[in-house]
Amino acid sequence: MALSRGLRCCQRVFSWIPVLIITSVVLWSYYAYVFELCLFTLTNTLEKVVYLLVFHVCFVMFSWTYWKSIFTPPASPCKKFQLSYSDKQRYEMEERPDAQKQILVEIAKKLPIFTRAQSGAIRFCDRCQVLKPDRCHHCSVCETCVLKMDHHCPWVNNCVGFSNYKFFLLFLSYSMLYCIYIAATVFQYFLKFWVGDFPNKSAKFHILFLMFVALMFFVSLMFLFGYHCWLVAKNRSTLEAFSAPVFVTGPDKNGFNVGIRKNLEQGYCQDTGNGHYFPLKSQSSEFQNPLLANEDMWEESDDGSEEGSLGESLFCILTNTLQHNQRLLSSNVDHVTF
């Protein structure tokens, strides 16, 4: 037991090494650009002020998004997806796998869960003892289930998911801006270094490495940012790009693709939804339960009380049911007409 705790402690310590590397490179770039280039090399006061002003704007935005990507805790499923004491006892007492699956099916009927495991069963995490919401996965590094998990990123030492995916995308974009700005403003002094017309000899090596490091990071970030832009446009996570989510009707890699505009809203607007339910594309609407489409019926408020009154819940149920029946009727009429 003590050995396993020691190994986990060492793993947590070593997991911060990539973050320390990035932080060290950024701090060095700050010193090289601000002091060696702007304060010790530039002679034009206006040029020096403009360079420093724009640089600090890029530096602050980059640092803020990197901080948020690192220290925003991963969002986990709420209590509604945890097994109650009686359900947990019933599940653990049952030895037959088919009977256990049926217990999970009965519990999942009360929740907006539309994805399934590869076997077709309800997705259940034995470690966290929760029914997995759509797009939720267990991270073995963070040791928790993460809502809309994209991947575990070692460079931020955190899971990229519903709670911080927007910050991660902004971090990539501001990192590219930070690198390209440094490369663009340093380029003329980089040329002076090669022709031997550089006034400050002590700063020439800082200028040289600033140019190479900025271009190297920009190229790598450009491909990564482009890939995530493609994922956002398709409304897929990195995990879903490698393994298509499975629905009642089978695997569908475009199951959550609801159009480019709504896809972008889900990717960049963190206040859209709560991470437990995601709209499905129109082709998959036949297996959506209209009674579960309204998140206010099952979502818990911060104080643990159920949101909405009984009258509001009944009104929502009646409204959703009528809308669902109208869609079914209209689709049947169109089919008969055809």
Side-chain angles (χ1 to χ4, degrees), residues 51-89:
Y51 276 24
L52 287 173
L53 180 62
V54 178
F55 172 82
H56 279 90
V57 171
C58 298
F59 179 80
V60 169
M61 298 305 297
F62 161 78
S63 301
W64 174 70
T65 53
Y66 190 45
W67 176 276
K68 295 292 289 185
S69 299
I70 295 174
F71 294 105
T72 301
S76 301
C78 66
K79 294 181 180 180
K80 284 290 187 179
F81 290 82
Q82 297 177 357
L83 296 184
S84 64
Y85 179 78
S86 59
D87 290 333
K88 186 177 181 181
Q89 290 291 107

Side-chain angles (χ1 to χ4, degrees), residues 124-140:
F124 179 72
C125 181
D126 293 318
R127 296 182 181 180
C128 301
Q129 292 292 299
V130 297
L131 295 174
K132 294 182 181 180
D134 293 345
R135 317 185 82 173
C136 176
H137 298 275
H138 184 87
C139 177
S140 58

Side-chain angles (χ1 to χ4, degrees), residues 112 129 207 234 243 265 302 320:
Q129 292 292 299
I207 302 301
K234 296 292 185 179
S243 179
E265 289 179 356
D302 294 337
N320 289 329

Side-chain angles (χ1 to χ4, degrees), residues 247-268:
F247 299 89
V248 176
T249 56
D252 186 1
K253 62 182 180 180
N254 293 317
F256 297 103
N257 190 344
V258 290
I260 184 66
R261 184 179 63 85
K262 293 183 178 179
N263 292 344
L264 293 176
E265 289 179 356
Q266 290 188 31
Y268 284 94

Side-chain angles (χ1 to χ4, degrees), residues 1 20 22 31 77 86 116 199 214 237 247 263 270-272 295 321:
M1 182 66 68
L20 293 177
I22 295 296
Y31 166 78
S86 59
R116 300 291 184 264
S237 65
F247 299 89
N263 292 344
Q270 198 171 358
D271 56 348
T272 56
E295 298 177 53
T321 304

Side-chain angles (χ1 to χ4, degrees), residues 17 30 87 132 152 158 177 191 208:
I17 292 180
Y30 183 89
D87 290 333
K132 294 182 181 180
H152 184 90
N158 196 5
L177 180 63
L191 293 179
L208 176 65

Side-chain angles (χ1 to χ4, degrees), residues 55-170:
F55 172 82
H56 279 90
V57 171
C58 298
F59 179 80
V60 169
M61 298 305 297
F62 161 78
S63 301
W64 174 70
T65 53
Y66 190 45
W67 176 276
K68 295 292 289 185
S69 299
I70 295 174
F71 294 105
T72 301
S76 301
C78 66
K79 294 181 180 180
K80 284 290 187 179
F81 290 82
Q82 297 177 357
L83 296 184
S84 64
Y85 179 78
S86 59
D87 290 333
K88 186 177 181 181
Q89 290 291 107
R90 189 159 58 104
Y91 180 80
E92 293 178 349
M93 293 289 292
E94 184 61 62
E95 298 180 355
R96 296 171 299 172
D98 293 339
Q100 288 182 332
K101 292 181 180 179
Q102 186 59 34
I103 293 174
L104 296 180
V105 169
E106 294 176 0
I107 301 173
K109 289 180 180 179
K110 307 174 185 178
L111 301 169
I113 298 178
F114 303 112
T115 55
R116 300 291 184 264
Q118 293 293 335
S119 61
I122 298 295
R123 300 192 309 135
F124 179 72
C125 181
D126 293 318
R127 296 182 181 180
C128 301
Q129 292 292 299
V130 297
L131 295 174
K132 294 182 181 180
D134 293 345
R135 317 185 82 173
C136 176
H137 298 275
H138 184 87
C139 177
S140 58
V141 180
C142 298
E143 298 180 349
T144 185
C145 285
V146 180
L147 295 178
K148 196 186 177 183
M149 179 178 175
D150 188 87
H151 68 288
H152 184 90
C153 181
W155 298 108
V156 299
N157 191 28
N158 196 5
C159 257
V160 178
F162 176 78
S163 62
N164 64 346
Y165 188 66
K166 178 185 73 173
F167 297 119
F168 180 75
L169 292 176
L170 292 175

